[in-house]
Amino acid sequence: MNKKTIIRTFEKIALYMELLGENPFKIGAFRKAANVLELDPRSLSEMDDILSLKGIGKGTGAVITDLFEKGKSDLLEELEEKVPKGLIPLLKVPGLGGKKIAKLREAIGIDSIESLRAACESHEVSKVPGFGKKTEEKLLHELNLLGTRKGKLPVWQIESIVLSIEEELQKISEIKRFSVAGSFRRAEEQSSDVDFIIVTDEPAIVREKLLEALPIEETVAAGDSKLSVALDMAEIVDADFRFVTDEQFATALHHFTGSKDHNVRMRQLAKSKGMKISEYGIEMEDGTIQTFDTEEAFFNFFELPFIPPSLRIDGTELDRIDEIDKLLKLDDIRGDFHMHTTWSDGAYSIREMVEACRSKGYSHMVITDHTQYLKVANGLTPERLRMQIAEIRSINEEYDDIEVFCGTEMDILPDATLDFDDELLKELDFVIASIHSNFNQPQEQIMDRLHAAIKNPYVHMIAHPTGRIIGQRDGYSPDVPQLIEWAKQYDKILELNGNPHRFDLSVDYLKMAQDAGVKVAINTDAHVIAQLDHMRIGVQYAQKAWLKKETVVNTWPLEQFIRDIIRK
DNA sequence: GCCGTTTTCGGCCCGACTGTTTTCAGTCG
């Protein structure tokens, strides 16, 4: 018996009750019980008070006792007997919920996807009270689409979709301002849709212009305050646009940024003070609506600090507000230590990258082109690297407001040797080591390679330590806890690669690294100037791991960077 | 089904949209 078993049992019970059209609050109670266990950081053996947890009562407690004593739940078995298994997939059909499924089952004996399809085709569905011709047509349509819809899209795909939608929004003159919201604003790794808040006095006009300008695959809903569509971009992606007034913007942005659990906690907080939060503001006890200029003012109203969107996860962030002012912010970042130029596979010159970093207000930066092993990236030979060092040193002379360091992103070769010898590495200020080849080696060999790199006295940092690409490949699956241990032992930096393709290390490993006292650098790995902007989303992602400012070496002042890292 | 220092009963986060109704239920986020 473990915690997951109990959680899954609660979720199954909720699912079956939903199919029976049970009281939503009863269903919610089982989901809540599952959630309470999920959020509790302790393992089952560490919990001696499980039956007295808030949210576990008589009914849910009995299920837990059953599981402990008999290894199964009587309630779940009863439900499984009562409800045909074939009904479960029906909950995935858009427009169908528990109530409607229960009605269909009772009226015409629907017990599976197939029987529903048949009933739609023979027009039996539209004869059921509460159902009509339109519903029947829509259901048939959705049944045919079932399984063809893509689930969640990775953040890097969502990012490009967001950018192209924003381009269209900028062209509409009736839009006063707008912001992306939802899971992309929270810097989630994957999103199932994109959300935008739009300030306008002319929602109907904006709606029509959007329908005109965007590649609409399907219009799901089109009202005065909301437009829901499926867009045919690189993939089919759902998009929601909410139209609000200027005064409503801050609360609407908060509401539609979510997460759902975060919002529930905020609303409960308001309710306990006799107030009511909605997307339009806070309704006070006397019925007046309070609005805010910024999200920050909204939080402050509840005596909370601004909670960054990426921290708004499961509601427990509200229990940790004292930690928030120690966390990393974008403003704290003083430099970017991983970027490429035309010397290898970057698109801009050293000077252009320097100018771009200067305009970001950085006090220092490191140029880190690829090395000779990586021929596809035009990696530098020792000779070319020495030429590049000379050029960087000379360009650096020209600037007194930014320090440009000489670095490299050196390949760790498949045989666990390094692409450059120590004599050459010695000449550099900052050495990154990373793996770009033979991902499918056994973990032991991968770890040998990483060990060879991290113990080398001239290596400062391991870049994108797992090599993953979100939603595409898992990387080379190193033993990350071991790597973190080595990083601590040899006093080396681990990277959070801020490129949304990577976000590498991931949140859980970042937490582990910080807990172990390992330093982290957030870098953009920019190959073009625009990618230097990924520092923003990289910082947002880092916040999800509750990284403190001091953990992240990019926040250190130049002098400290030189003293404790370069010259160490 | 769960909860309670205003409550052991009556709430449970809140609102938009659609379709089927003729004032609202169901679904969704």
Side-chain angles (χ1 to χ4, degrees):
Chain A
M1 180 59 46
N2 61 49
K3 210 157 98 171
K4 273 270 171 282
T5 313
I6 303 179
I7 292 171
R8 267 202 300 271
T9 304
F10 282 150
E11 278 163 358
K12 267 192 209 161
I13 289 173
L15 210 56
Y16 278 110
M17 286 184 165
E18 207 173 344
L19 291 168
L20 288 169
E22 272 270 20
N23 175 354
F25 296 113
K26 189 172 166 181
I27 299 166
F30 281 93
R31 293 233 159 90
K32 189 173 174 203
N35 194 240
V36 165
L37 293 180
E38 188 98 60
L39 290 184
D40 197 296
R42 297 170 298 172
S43 78
L44 201 53
S45 56
E46 294 165 325
M47 302 168 78
D48 46 3
D49 56 345
I50 186 161
L51 294 180
S52 57
L53 286 177
K54 214 177 129 171
I56 310 281
K58 224 174 105 203
T60 48
V63 172
I64 295 175
T65 312
D66 260 8
L67 286 171
F68 267 113
E69 289 175 357
K70 300 184 257 181
K72 61 191 181 67
S73 156
D74 289 343
L75 175 60
L76 178 58
E77 288 201 340
E78 228 172 84
L79 288 165
E80 280 172 339
E81 223 159 274
K82 222 190 277 184
V83 188
K85 274 209 160 47
L87 285 184
I88 293 174
L90 285 177
L91 280 171
K92 288 233 164 64
V93 179
L96 271 191
K99 295 264 170 63
K100 282 191 180 172
I101 293 173
K103 267 188 198 167
L104 287 171
R105 178 163 169 244
E106 201 156 316
I108 51 175
I110 300 300
D111 60 0
S112 65
I113 297 267
E114 293 70 37
S115 62
L116 178 60
R117 190 196 302 278
C120 283
E121 280 165 354
S122 62
H123 305 296
E124 278 183 78
V125 168
S126 54
K127 290 177 198 147
V128 179
F131 293 74
K133 213 174 154 64
K134 277 199 170 175
T135 307
E136 188 175 77
E137 280 166 12
K138 185 163 179 272
L139 281 178
L140 197 54
H141 179 67
E142 292 295 349
L143 286 175
N144 289 331
L145 282 179
L146 215 56
T148 64
R149 282 229 173 88
K150 198 136 176 146
K152 292 192 169 187
L153 294 178
V155 53
W156 46 273
Q157 236 165 11
I158 293 288
E159 182 194 37
S160 74
I161 289 166
V162 165
L163 289 175
S164 63
I165 291 176
E166 285 181 341
E167 236 172 76
E168 294 302 329
L169 295 180
Q170 261 145 14
K171 290 184 202 154
I172 299 177
S173 56
E174 287 83 2
I175 294 178
K176 291 182 172 170
R177 59 173 164 154
F178 65 84
S179 171
V180 70
S183 49
F184 180 73
R185 183 160 182 256
R186 300 198 309 274
E188 297 286 340
E189 289 182 11
Q190 323 241 1
S191 298
S192 53
D193 66 352
V194 292
D195 300 277
F196 286 90
I197 307 300
I198 292 173
V199 172
T200 179
D201 296 328
E202 306 277 4
I205 295 177
V206 173
R207 183 187 63 210
E208 295 315 310
K209 286 194 176 177
L210 282 173
L211 286 170
E212 190 71 24
L214 296 170
I216 308 286
E217 165 81 10
E218 186 189 345
T219 304
V220 181
D224 281 336
S225 58
K226 165 181 164 175
L227 173 66
S228 279
V229 293
L231 297 178
D232 184 8
M233 313 288 272
E235 303 275 351
I236 302 291
V237 60
D238 292 333
D240 273 351
F241 303 89
R242 307 290 302 219
F243 309 119
V244 297
T245 66
D246 207 36
E247 302 76 54
Q248 294 163 343
F249 179 73
T251 41
L253 182 60
H254 174 263
H255 178 91
F256 291 109
T257 295
S259 71
K260 207 174 161 156
D261 292 335
H262 169 83
N263 286 356
V264 168
R265 276 293 296 268
M266 288 299 292
R267 291 206 183 109
Q268 284 166 345
L269 176 65
K271 208 174 174 68
S272 71
K273 297 176 190 287
M275 296 175 271
K276 209 163 83 175
I277 298 178
S278 80
E279 52 264 58
Y280 303 119
I282 302 177
E283 190 181 327
M284 312 301 287
E285 273 179 296
D286 61 7
T288 57
I289 305 284
Q290 174 92 38
T291 58
F292 302 89
D293 288 341
T294 61
E295 266 189 327
E296 185 159 18
F298 167 79
F299 281 113
N300 292 346
F301 183 80
F302 293 104
E303 291 166 356
L304 294 170
F306 176 76
I307 301 176
S310 47
L311 280 183
R312 304 176 198 167
I313 301 172
D314 55 17
T316 55
E317 59 277 3
L318 283 159
D319 302 321
R320 303 179 66 178
I321 47 173
D322 292 344
E323 299 170 50
I324 286 179
D325 71 335
K326 296 190 200 83
L327 295 187
L328 168 76
K329 299 187 298 292
L330 182 60
D331 283 353
D332 298 328
I333 298 292
R334 297 166 187 260
D336 193 337
F337 311 150
H338 183 172
M339 66 188 75
H340 299 270
T341 73
T342 46
W343 282 75
S344 64
D345 60 350
Y348 292 89
S349 67
I350 296 170
R351 196 180 298 275
E352 285 169 315
M353 294 306 276
V354 172
E355 287 295 342
C357 284
R358 266 184 90 212
S359 68
K360 292 202 164 300
Y362 291 158
S363 59
H364 49 298
M365 59 186 285
V366 190
I367 300 289
T368 56
D369 274 306
H370 289 291
T371 57
Q372 54 194 358
Y373 179 81
L374 213 54
K375 294 207 167 48
V376 287
N378 191 25
L380 273 60
T381 59
E383 294 69 36
R384 287 182 66 221
L385 178 60
R386 289 199 166 96
M387 283 164 65
Q388 191 194 33
I389 292 174
E391 179 165 332
I392 294 172
R393 300 279 185 230
S394 120
I395 287 176
N396 188 43
E397 286 294 301
E398 299 171 26
Y399 295 94
D400 53 12
D401 56 353
I402 190 165
E403 194 67 25
V404 189
F405 291 106
C406 299
T408 183
E409 183 185 10
M410 172 178 62
D411 258 77
I412 305 171
L413 309 189
D415 63 357
T417 61
L418 304 178
D419 210 2
F420 288 147
D421 58 32
D422 289 358
E423 287 309 303
L424 180 53
L425 296 181
K426 234 184 249 184
E427 296 174 36
L428 292 160
D429 303 314
F430 190 76
V431 174
I432 301 174
S434 55
I435 290 180
H436 295 106
S437 57
N438 294 49
F439 280 23
N440 47 12
Q441 283 177 341
Q443 189 181 62
E444 203 178 319
Q445 278 184 51
I446 292 288
M447 292 309 283
D448 283 347
R449 293 166 77 182
L450 289 169
H451 194 218
I454 204 163
K455 73 178 186 196
N456 179 293
Y458 301 104
V459 168
H460 295 86
M461 185 185 90
I462 304 292
H464 42 75
T466 75
R468 73 160 177 171
I469 299 292
I470 294 175
Q472 219 162 60
R473 66 166 195 230
D474 290 336
Y476 35 80
S477 311
D479 177 353
V480 180
Q482 172 69 74
L483 183 65
I484 288 172
E485 212 170 282
W486 288 337
K488 179 66 186 167
Q489 184 186 341
Y490 299 107
D491 194 20
K492 298 297 164 74
I493 304 167
L494 295 181
E495 184 179 63
L496 162 54
N497 193 295
N499 186 303
H501 281 83
R502 296 187 180 271
F503 286 164
D504 186 7
L505 293 175
S506 62
V507 167
D508 288 345
Y509 290 138
L510 289 171
K511 284 182 186 164
M512 207 184 284
Q514 173 165 271
D515 288 347
V518 168
K519 299 186 290 276
V520 172
I522 304 177
N523 298 312
T524 63
D525 196 354
H527 286 68
V528 298
I529 284 174
Q531 287 174 349
L532 290 169
D533 289 340
H534 283 145
M535 187 60 80
R536 168 187 295 274
I537 198 165
V539 166
Q540 290 171 340
Y541 188 78
Q543 289 171 335
K544 291 175 126 34
W546 293 77
L547 288 197
K548 297 189 196 106
K549 186 179 166 186
E550 64 194 44
T551 301
V552 178
V553 293
N554 315 62
T555 69
W556 296 6
L558 174 58
E559 308 73 52
Q560 191 185 355
F561 180 69
I562 293 173
R563 187 188 66 224
D564 294 344
I565 297 189
I566 303 267
R567 299 235 175 92
K568 184 170 58 76

